[in-house]
Amino acid sequence: MFFIRFIPTFPILHRATFVFRECTHALLLNAIAIGSLYLGPKDSVAKGETLWHLAHTALSTSWQSMITHNGPYDACKGVQLMITALLGQIYGALSKNRAIRTTSQVFHPLGFLWARHCGMYDSEPYSMDNLPSIDAPAAEKEHQWRIWSAREIQQRTLLAYYVLDGLVVQTSSDGASSRHVANPLSLPSSEEAFDASTADEWLAHMHPQKPNQSSFRTIFRSLFPPVGSFRPLEYEFSTFALRVVLEGLHSLISDFDDNELAVGVPSQSDVRRALAQVHETISMSIHFTAAERLEILLRWHTVCLDTMINSAVLSRHVCLRYNIIQHISGGCGIVRPDFDMVKWANSEDARRAVLHAVAIQDIVEQLPRGRAHVVHMPSSLFAAATIYVVLSLAGMATVNLPRNIVWQDALLSRSDLNLGHEDIRPLSGSETKCFVENGNGASSLPLPIGGAVRNLLYELNSMQKLFRCLSSQWGIAHDMEDVIAQWIQLCH
């Protein structure tokens, strides 16, 4: 189940060249623990936690020896340590067991330190000059395929730590553990090449590819040009690479402050413009499957929502205000002391946020069953639920949506575009812009003619059922469902 269900949504291990006897016991234990989340029997969760504890004990007591382990095709030492810790921390971050969740949050920054210690950031990627011809001897093709897959696994594992970092930041609202925008790693290879089951199939995908050594640091630099641009990024992205980019942008959001900007941190407007470029890139990428596009848009909408307001901090604020005990979001972030929830609910940012919240809910409901296990789904859905409950508590029973949403208008304000009112086209030109800018302070958000109407309390009840389904894989959804049930009671 690990390779069938988990790896397609989190492609870090290469199934075709995976050799069990070459793996450490702790790595296998964590892989089996994650795989157990997709099994039906009720005792599978308890067994998975037992496996996790065994792996965590092995990792805690033997990391000094594991950090020196070098596989037959590894470019540097410590790769299996990194993979083992990564799988354990993903399991822990989304576990029903709160002690395991806390352990995962505390230990996850170690991955970046281990990677630097082992020289993984300095490791050269696979050279396309070593790519054998399609007519080369089978032994040579097989050998080069395994060298390539080892390099690719190492790179993807380290990139996955950036994704994990974003997952932890989403729930804790603390700052990132590493400076994402300084990430020197290059883009991973295409998913088609990584999914190849034979050396010949791998070569068939690799030979047409152009050598691309662009680093994520270069990509982030192009997202923040001196002069704003909404052109799509001129890189061949996989969905996994785009997730790394989105977590980099999300890491900048965690440094926002209502009163002042930290040194070296782009403004909120800069980040929103960068997100607009990423959306254009997603829209222009024709090689994504429908499920992949939905998964990456799910994360995009969540990051956009957090540019309007920190959803983790907002959910904690609601719980504190109404004396609701929650075990989802820790961290130290708080809303400013003078925060007025009702006033915010009637703001442009709230109307922008609710558009993204609706999109998140729709995507979760659209994802095919076999792909409904992406790791950021619970936190994304909970962010959407937070927006719904805040609007409901502010007296907004329904939301009247535009018929067609223009996401650039939903994301960017006039100030983000650096334009005055006289420079903007008439509001009638975009239903989305009318919706965002023409709040009427009534018991529902403004109604574009012909737009859909969403009853927020009904949608919260629907979300509660979605969390019930998610909890069979990701135990943290149990705690999220419990909080939402109490929020629903407040709204009655």
Side-chain angles (χ1 to χ4, degrees), residues 301-410:
H301 283 294
T302 310
V303 176
C304 290
L305 189 156
D306 272 2
T307 66
M308 312 305 163
I309 192 167
N310 187 312
S311 58
V313 171
L314 184 61
S315 68
R316 274 209 309 277
H317 174 76
V318 174
C319 290
L320 284 170
R321 180 169 176 175
Y322 293 97
N323 297 315
I324 294 173
I325 298 174
Q326 60 89 22
H327 302 279
I328 303 161
S329 178
C332 57
I334 58 172
V335 295
R336 60 183 183 273
D338 61 341
F339 178 73
D340 186 332
M341 196 162 69
V342 175
K343 182 179 179 181
W344 182 83
N346 286 279
S347 68
E348 285 191 14
D349 274 351
R351 291 188 285 276
R352 296 180 195 280
V354 78
L355 290 177
H356 291 291
V358 168
I360 289 168
Q361 182 187 2
D362 288 346
I363 288 172
V364 171
E365 292 174 347
Q366 290 172 39
L367 273 169
R369 187 172 181 179
R371 301 286 297 210
H373 314 296
V374 64
V375 295
H376 54 262
M377 186 181 289
S379 59
S380 295
L381 194 60
F382 192 70
T386 301
I387 300 302
Y388 283 2
V389 75
V390 167
L391 296 184
S392 296
L393 292 172
M396 297 178 186
T398 59
V399 176
N400 306 292
L401 301 172
R403 286 171 298 181
N404 298 299
I405 299 175
V406 179
W407 287 113
Q408 182 172 315
D409 290 344

Side-chain angles (χ1 to χ4, degrees), residues 10 100 236 317 351:
F10 207 83
I100 292 178
E236 188 73 22
H317 174 76
R351 291 188 285 276

